[in-house]
Amino acid sequence: MTEVAKRVFASVSDQLADKLEKRAQTEGRSLSNLISYLLEREMEDWQPPTNENK
């Protein structure tokens, strides 16, 4: 089965949007690709907290 990308919408400040657009252009990426890359990198090692009180 083919994996389908899920769309997520978020609002960011004008200042952050400008930085993201400049970085995407510098790296030769689309804005969407850069944001996806940055989120994947940030979330790579994240694990949900475990409930040890049970």
Side-chain angles (χ1 to χ4, degrees):
M1 185 187 289
T2 303
E3 188 174 319
V4 178
K6 187 172 194 173
R7 290 180 181 252
V8 178
F9 298 91
S11 297
V12 297
S13 68
D14 289 341
Q15 182 180 8
L16 178 56
D18 289 343
K19 285 182 176 182
L20 288 166
E21 289 170 359
K22 286 176 185 170
R23 180 167 172 177
Q25 185 176 28
T26 298
E27 295 183 10
R29 299 174 179 263
S30 68
L31 183 58
S32 178
N33 176 266
L34 174 64
I35 292 169
S36 179
Y37 164 75
L38 292 172
L39 286 170
E40 284 183 28
R41 193 174 75 181
E42 177 63 28
M43 297 300 293
E44 192 171 89
D45 296 326
W46 183 85
Q47 294 292 321
T50 58
N51 189 350
E52 297 177 0
N53 295 330
K54 285 188 174 182

